[in-house]
Amino acid sequence: MRVRFAPSPTGHLHIGGARTALFNYLLARRNNGTFILRIEDTDEERSTKESAQSIFESMKWLGLNWDEGAMPEGPEKGKDGPYVQSDREALGIYRKYADQLIAEKKAYKCYCVHEKYDEERKQAEHEKQGSRVSKCGCRNLTPEQQAEMEKQGRKPVVRFAMPEEGRTEWDDLVRGHVSFENNLLADFVMLKASGYPTYNFACVIDDHLMSLTHILRGDDHVSNTPLQVQLYKALGWECPIFGHISMILGPDGKRLSKRHGATSIGEYRKNGFLPEAMFNYLALLGWSNSESQQIFRPGELEQKFEVSGCQPSPAVFDTEKLIWMNGEYMRMLSPEKIMEYAMPFIKEAGLDMSKGPALLDLIKLEHEKFHLLTDVPKRLDFFYKDPVYDQEAVEKVFRKPEVPEILKGISELYSGIEMFKAENIEPATRAWAKEHKFKNGQVFHPVRVALSGRTDGPTLFKMIEYIGRSETIKRLSKALEMV
Ligand code: GLU
């Protein structure tokens, strides 16, 4: 089995692309196959090296290591290179097959259009009408007529001569039998006027020359597949097996896009998601196993991925579920690993940890409550800097008339505790509350808000221990001034 991911480097790796890459990766691993990465940069205007780098980086981050193909640095891997289509174009790989098809009258030069704008407009019109570009007449030009066109300085595109009758069909791994009427298929452009190949043409040549056995891709390509199947036929090549995985919708039922929030893998990385959780979550977008398992151990999906588990109906991207899953993965990580992963986020939050409690102790304290890596600095920042008082908390908790007496009393109490440890702070605080006829909550809440600025957080007495006596007393007096 040889499969590939063939991104166009026109932007970052998005959820949909990452899911396609992941399914191909899993398919290869499950079947001891080869996973290939090919860069499809035939869109000369929109493709950039930076996008290719960004795609490489996101794939590496997700752990989607490829066996052959373009590499972020160093030479390419594999015997079927180059794996970047512009490099292949420079070698004349595509031109050769276009010439062959022209010679066999399976493709023709079309002179109708030589301005890019016209070309796109004409293509769009034809697609709208479901009519065929061949009606322009260029399909039947004599060599003399062609010479005349060229004398006028017209640069032709090369179009595929689509059969006018019959149907094009294939058995799709995900969608079952698919069939198109040939008279609705366009004489699509194979080579642009610049001589550059189009996606449909380059894709078929490369999928064949790279001996790909299975093409698993997004269902936005279903309408390209009949064109590609016809190309295989015209070239006398065997078709690979196709599978078109379901589209991904946002919670509103519309195709997932920017307006649903973060869409690129890089953004999820920046927002504190773990690669392991993303990997697991993406696998469930349009795929499930018979037990509807949700969480997979490392390496388990590579063993369990069956293409029969791909559902043709659309998948819905559910950020809440992804966050939940990330939390599950956070809990599976050791506190040491969380500390390592969270370090860039802590640095970004500007926390100075040279003073204050040991970060690892705090991570252990809050381990159960993290959903995202960004929660680490968010939940722990007040240990390292002055608390930022949440207005709502201040109004709700500090407004009570007994608060000044409590803050003052607790402050005095704490300066007298011998060993400033949770196991001493807790009974002393409770005893003070009882003695002054307050309920525990009446005392605990304002103390918590005074020390952390918020109403929820780590277990109170450990929190107080880690903040330390002098800082605790300092914050209590500051809060007293506020109230
Ligand atoms: N370059 C195409 C894309 O990014 C690849 C489609 C395919 O897998 O054939 O959509």
Side-chain angles (χ1 to χ4, degrees):
M1 178 179 286
R2 288 173 63 81
V3 296
R4 49 55 166 192
F5 175 51
S8 302
T10 55
H12 299 297
L13 182 65
H14 282 207
I15 293 293
R19 195 260 317 241
T20 301
L22 173 64
F23 280 21
N24 279 288
Y25 165 86
L26 292 174
L27 194 60
R29 291 294 166 269
R30 173 76 181 87
N31 296 283
N32 293 320
T34 305
F35 177 46
I36 297 159
L37 178 70
R38 182 174 74 225
I39 298 292
E40 298 203 327
D41 58 348
T42 56
D43 184 338
E44 301 142 283
E45 276 160 31
R46 292 172 58 229
S47 300
T48 65
K49 290 236 170 345
E50 294 70 38
S51 295
Q53 280 303 329
S54 158
I55 292 169
F56 290 146
E57 215 172 279
S58 291
M59 286 186 61
K60 293 246 166 228
W61 181 73
L62 282 170
L64 302 177
N65 297 316
W66 54 104
D67 310 305
E68 280 181 26
M71 289 290 157
E73 66 254 335
E76 297 188 324
K77 268 209 285 196
K79 58 178 182 12
D80 295 324
Y83 292 91
V84 178
Q85 287 186 329
S86 56
D87 295 338
R88 299 174 69 73
E89 195 278 333
L91 296 177
I93 291 175
Y94 307 113
R95 178 96 244 168
K96 179 177 138 200
Y97 293 102
D99 288 344
Q100 176 191 325
L101 290 175
I102 292 172
E104 293 171 355
K105 302 227 174 319
K106 293 171 180 165
Y108 61 96
K109 292 181 182 173
C110 171
Y111 295 88
C112 292
V113 285
H114 56 290
E115 297 290 338
K116 189 173 180 314
Y117 169 76
D118 282 350
E119 185 180 326
E120 278 173 1
R121 195 192 52 194
K122 191 154 177 158
Q123 182 79 25
E125 267 169 26
H126 280 284
E127 273 163 19
K128 211 162 64 203
Q129 295 161 5
S131 67
R132 303 165 51 91
V133 173
S134 59
K135 287 189 184 125
C136 71
C138 290
R139 202 161 165 170
N140 305 312
L141 291 182
T142 62
E144 294 72 33
Q145 287 169 314
Q146 286 188 342
E148 177 55 30
M149 295 285 189
E150 294 199 8
K151 224 168 76 197
Q152 290 171 17
R154 293 190 180 221
K155 276 205 181 325
V157 300
V158 177
R159 287 190 186 278
F160 183 74
M162 190 59 73
E164 309 204 15
E165 278 152 25
R167 306 187 75 85
T168 304
E169 306 181 300
W170 74 92
D171 287 314
D172 195 282
L173 283 172
V174 183
R175 302 163 69 96
H177 190 72
V178 183
S179 169
F180 281 82
E181 259 182 64
N182 289 345
N183 69 11
L184 294 178
L185 303 178
D187 280 7
F188 64 95
V189 175
M190 291 166 27
L191 294 185
K192 303 177 222 174
S194 64
Y196 236 65
T198 58
Y199 154 69
N200 274 312
F201 187 52
C203 174
V204 167
I205 305 296
D206 291 347
D207 284 343
H208 175 75
L209 295 180
M210 295 176 183
S211 311
L212 290 157
T213 56
H214 296 70
I215 306 297
L216 199 57
R217 60 186 168 205
D219 74 353
D220 47 330
H221 287 288
V222 167
S223 59
N224 286 319
T225 302
L227 311 182
Q228 298 186 6
V229 168
Q230 284 298 337
L231 255 177
Y232 281 101
K233 278 202 181 137
L235 288 159
W237 294 341
E238 196 187 324
C239 270
I241 296 169
F242 292 103
H244 291 89
I245 49 189
S246 62
M247 69 171 103
I248 305 173
L249 306 179
D252 58 356
K254 304 231 167 77
R255 208 181 192 103
L256 190 66
S257 73
K258 265 263 152 260
R259 71 197 138 111
H260 295 111
T263 49
S264 78
I265 295 299
E267 283 173 280
Y268 283 92
R269 181 182 186 173
K270 261 219 283 315
N271 292 344
F273 288 88
L274 295 166
E276 297 87 342
M278 290 301 290
F279 187 99
N280 190 149
Y281 183 73
L282 289 171
L284 298 176
L285 280 179
W287 179 86
S288 64
N289 69 358
S290 47
E291 297 100 66
S292 296
Q293 187 176 343
Q294 296 294 305
I295 304 278
F296 292 81
R297 279 179 286 106
E300 203 180 353
L301 276 161
E302 285 86 336
Q303 299 300 317
K304 290 191 170 168
F305 186 82
E306 298 290 350
V307 92
S308 55
C310 292
Q311 299 115 20
S313 51
V316 177
F317 191 84
D318 176 353
T319 310
E320 293 300 310
K321 180 171 169 185
L322 172 59
I323 293 173
W324 164 78
M325 190 172 278
N326 207 70
E328 295 293 306
Y329 272 87
M330 293 282 277
R331 279 182 276 289
M332 283 190 260
L333 289 178
S334 67
E336 287 79 5
K337 208 70 218 151
I338 292 188
M339 183 155 98
E340 181 192 322
Y341 278 164
M343 217 31 108
F345 297 93
I346 290 166
K347 291 222 172 85
E348 203 185 306
L351 296 186
D352 171 15
M353 293 176 311
S354 58
K355 292 182 288 274
L359 179 62
L360 193 60
D361 289 338
L362 300 183
I363 289 177
K364 286 178 184 160
L365 197 61
E366 286 288 81
H367 196 169
E368 291 296 309
K369 296 190 197 139
F370 298 132
H371 286 289
L372 300 169
L373 287 167
T374 44
D375 289 343
V376 177
K378 233 188 251 165
R379 295 192 75 91
L380 302 178
D381 58 356
F382 64 86
F383 285 101
Y384 298 105
K385 58 178 202 190
D386 289 342
V388 178
Y389 289 95
D390 173 54
Q391 266 324 303
E392 221 176 290
V394 168
E395 271 162 37
K396 200 172 113 207
V397 179
F398 279 0
R399 223 189 24 209
K400 308 249 166 75
E402 70 275 17
V403 168
E405 182 193 346
I406 290 170
L407 294 179
K408 195 152 172 284
I410 292 293
S411 178
E412 278 158 16
L413 174 76
Y414 286 178
S415 31
I417 291 180
E418 210 151 292
M419 283 273 288
F420 205 67
K421 292 262 172 225
E423 56 268 36
N424 300 333
I425 302 165
E426 178 166 2
T429 311
R430 288 180 189 279
W432 187 91
K434 199 164 174 197
E435 191 191 323
H436 292 82
K437 311 230 171 341
F438 292 121
K439 290 200 203 90
N440 286 332
Q442 270 179 298
V443 176
F444 297 174
H445 292 318
V447 170
R448 177 183 289 287
V449 173
L451 296 183
S452 68
R454 46 192 101 153
T455 47
D456 80 320
T459 149
L460 181 64
F461 301 104
K462 271 283 175 202
M463 181 180 113
I464 297 173
E465 175 187 327
Y466 286 137
I467 290 175
R469 189 203 310 269
S470 66
E471 184 64 26
T472 296
I473 290 174
K474 200 176 104 195
R475 290 185 191 184
L476 288 172
S477 353
K478 213 170 141 199
L480 189 59
E481 278 169 34
M482 272 174 64
V483 297

